[in-house]
Amino acid sequence: MRKLNARQLVNMCNGTASEVFADSDISSVVIDSRKVSDGSLFIAIVGENHDAHDYVAQVITRGNTYALVNADFSLDLPNLIRVKDTTQALGLLASNYRQLFTIPLVAITGSNGKTTVKEMLRCVCQTHFGVEHVLATSGNLNNHWGMPLTLLELNGNHKIAIIEMGMNHAGELDYLSKLAKPTLAVVNNVMFAHIGQFRSLAEIADAKGEIYNGLTSDGVACIDVSNPFSTQWKAKTELATAKIFDYATAESGCYLAEFTETGAHYITPLGELEINLRILGQHNYFNALTVIALAINLDCSLNSIKTGLENYTGYSGRLERKKAFNGALIVDDTYNANPDSVRAALKAISVLPRPHWFIFADLKELGSAELDFHREIGEQIQNDGIDRLLTVGSLAAHAAKYFNGTKIHFESNQDIVKYCLSELPTSGVLLIKGSHSMRLNEVADQLTLLP
């Protein structure tokens, strides 16, 4: 973060300073009291389970520190900035701070692959601009708290910012996009994720399209014109002055032409590209296409695009290859899951040596259609010829009804671990996938350790 005078931050978040208020610089903004250091502004967020106002007093006693609090905070302490709502003030502060920088800012969303696209683009941009000149979202800090905190990490060294934006309800991306004011934005895809909050895929597409709402007047909307919802995105009034960059069809001139023995062949406005990714999954070559479209609009060279994509080695919990305790190959895809990403994972391991074992847990946030989705997954598992299916959770058990092969249902993750420690074959592949809340990442971690 660029150092700013504390009173300047008061104005940037439309706050009111306490009577005793030091005229010093603020060099970091945090929402975790454990990360407070000299020159920090601690924002007291009110969450579902915790109220960070409980930690304000101890934060202020640490010295040259400040706290942003709700107006009704009862304690009369020095170095306080009072606002109507701390979450809203965090967003306002980040939005105003972002306006201090004129660098390109990329906004990325999608039902699947948005983190992969973000990380791939990070590799490309680090290759082209230099590692120290690229700011990108860390981990999954892509919501109404994490994204503003990412914007507040901008400093004078950065030449580009790559911002991931997530959503699980309508209006969320509209808010985030208008805060960040991207110069370049993309919807990677639209699939059945968070369907529980929506009535149809069309509603999801409409909510995803909100990422274009905050584009600067001279910004660029990258649009996958092979997507059936691309027409409605192009018709958005917010894109009246923006440039639209089409990709993903031959007519667009930026598309995946064919898969090759070693990778994929792309046609782009800058020339042709051969890419050989180091990560599993044919679907990742479509993620790479989105990256190519974005990188071209950032004036990256073809050489930087190729080098960056081919240097990308994957992300934790996303088709991540691990060596099991007994030497077997684990494909850890536990970060999160929805029906389409399960199908993609099953397809990804189809080219790997057998036997194929699959640990599958419930998929959440699928609404009233959750049983239908799990039935379809069970049928897909049957069609893909999985050799052994291990399930945990009632919805996964429902999916297993439509699989006729060898299958075992478990009451807990720990029961699965115990079974695999004694039964997992030393050859072949173990795919592990389910919603993040099912905590299958713990299963993956335990099976990569010696018993």
Side-chain angles (χ1 to χ4, degrees):
M1 180 181 180
R2 177 190 296 177
K3 283 187 179 182
L4 294 174
N5 182 269
R7 292 196 180 275
Q8 188 176 357
L9 264 72
V10 173
N11 294 330
M12 291 171 71
C13 65
N14 197 24
T16 302
S18 57
E19 185 173 345
V20 178
F21 196 81
D23 192 17
S24 299
D25 288 338
I26 290 175
S27 56
S28 68
V29 177
V30 299
I31 61 173
D32 184 340
S33 62
R34 296 166 296 183
K35 295 182 179 179
V36 169
S37 59
D38 188 66
S40 288
L41 170 64
F42 172 64
I43 299 187
I45 297 294
V46 180
E48 291 184 8
N49 301 313
H50 301 283
D51 185 346
H53 287 82
D54 295 340
Y55 305 102
V56 170
Q58 69 181 56
V59 163
I60 293 298
T61 62
R62 294 183 191 176
N64 183 33
T65 54
Y66 298 78
L68 187 84
V69 299
N70 283 339
D72 59 0
F73 181 61
S74 60
L75 298 182
D76 184 15
L77 299 171
N79 293 355
L80 296 184
I81 303 174
R82 295 183 183 272
V83 295
K84 183 177 180 180
D85 179 89
T86 53
T87 294
Q88 293 296 318
L90 168 60
L92 179 61
L93 173 60
S95 184
N96 285 326
Y97 180 76
R98 183 264 181 275
Q99 296 308 299
L100 301 177
F101 301 85
T102 58
I103 62 173
L105 187 147
V106 186
I108 301 168
T109 196
S111 299
N112 284 332
K114 56 184 174 290
T115 300
T116 298
V117 168
K118 179 256 296 182
E119 290 299 321
M120 283 179 166
L121 185 61
R122 182 208 295 263
C123 284
V124 170
C125 290
Q126 287 179 342
T127 301
H128 189 79
F129 298 102
V131 173
E132 72 277 14
H133 298 308
V134 179
L135 173 68
T137 301
S138 297
N140 63 340
L141 295 177
N142 60 15
N143 65 4
H144 59 300
W145 295 324
M147 194 212 72
L149 290 173
T150 301
L151 293 178
L152 288 163
E153 291 180 14
L154 280 166
N155 63 50
N157 287 328
H158 293 131
K159 294 182 179 180
I160 182 171
I162 305 168
I163 306 298
E164 178 182 334
M165 299 183 185
M167 69 112 204
N168 60 16
H169 62 268
E172 190 167 8
L173 286 176
D174 178 76
Y175 172 73
L176 295 178
S177 182
K178 288 177 178 176
L179 287 188
K181 297 178 175 60
T183 60
L184 180 62
V186 73
V187 178
N188 189 44
N189 51 43
V190 178
M191 297 180 180
F192 286 108
H194 307 299
I195 188 67
Q197 304 293 328
F198 301 94
R199 292 175 295 183
S200 67
L201 202 58
E203 286 193 359
I204 296 175
D206 189 55
K208 293 291 184 188
E210 292 172 3
I211 198 168
Y212 299 118
N213 292 3
L215 270 173
T216 55
S217 59
D218 58 347
V220 179
C222 278
I223 295 183
D224 175 354
V225 287
S226 72
N227 190 301
F229 301 105
S230 59
T231 302
Q232 75 182 55
W233 295 332
K234 286 187 174 187
K236 293 173 69 68
T237 56
E238 291 85 357
L239 297 186
T241 62
K243 173 187 174 184
I244 294 178
F245 182 87
D246 292 346
Y247 74 98
T249 65
E251 292 75 19
S252 72
C254 185
Y255 63 101
L256 195 164
E258 63 178 343
F259 288 101
T260 65
E261 289 186 6
T262 58
H265 180 75
Y266 298 88
I267 305 297
T268 84
L270 302 182
E272 300 186 16
L273 266 179
E274 293 283 345
I275 301 294
N276 181 16
L277 296 177
R278 298 167 64 181
I279 56 175
L280 278 176
Q282 197 176 75
H283 63 284
N284 278 315
Y285 284 92
F286 293 100
N287 289 333
L289 175 60
T290 297
V291 173
I292 291 168
L294 293 170
I296 287 172
N297 283 281
L298 294 170
D299 295 325
C300 293
S301 67
L302 281 183
N303 184 61
S304 294
I305 294 171
K306 178 177 174 65
T307 301
L309 285 172
E310 293 188 339
N311 282 342
Y312 177 65
T313 57
Y315 202 76
S316 177
R318 291 172 172 84
L319 291 177
E320 181 183 6
R321 301 191 206 201
K322 295 179 175 180
K323 187 176 182 179
F325 66 95
N326 64 351
L329 174 63
I330 291 176
V331 177
D332 178 357
D333 204 29
T334 60
Y335 176 76
N336 217 338
N338 58 51
D340 291 293
S341 68
V342 173
R343 295 185 187 97
L346 289 168
K347 185 174 182 179
I349 68 166
S350 66
V351 298
L352 298 177
R354 288 190 176 275
H356 292 169
W357 284 32
F358 184 20
I359 297 176
F360 177 56
D362 295 356
L363 306 186
K364 303 296 188 179
E365 298 186 51
L366 294 179
S368 60
E370 62 182 8
L371 292 180
D372 290 333
F373 281 119
H374 283 81
R375 171 184 54 76
E376 291 173 3
I377 289 171
E379 293 170 349
Q380 186 69 53
I381 296 170
Q382 175 70 28
N383 293 336
D384 285 359
I386 290 296
D387 297 291
R388 185 160 302 191
L389 176 63
L390 311 179
T391 56
V392 61
S394 59
L395 293 172
H398 179 73
K401 294 177 181 178
Y402 302 90
F403 174 70
N404 297 326
T406 302
K407 57 189 175 185
I408 306 174
H409 184 72
F410 297 86
E411 293 302 317
S412 71
N413 289 350
Q414 201 55 43
D415 289 339
I416 290 182
V417 171
K418 291 177 181 177
Y419 178 79
C420 288
L421 287 176
S422 63
E423 301 297 331
L424 183 66
T426 57
S427 60
V429 176
L430 173 63
L431 172 64
I432 309 178
K433 192 161 183 67
S435 282
H436 186 69
S437 60
M438 297 301 290
R439 304 179 68 143
L440 287 185
N441 58 301
E442 296 175 1
V443 173
D445 289 343
Q446 290 182 61
L447 292 178
T448 57
L449 300 174
L450 289 174

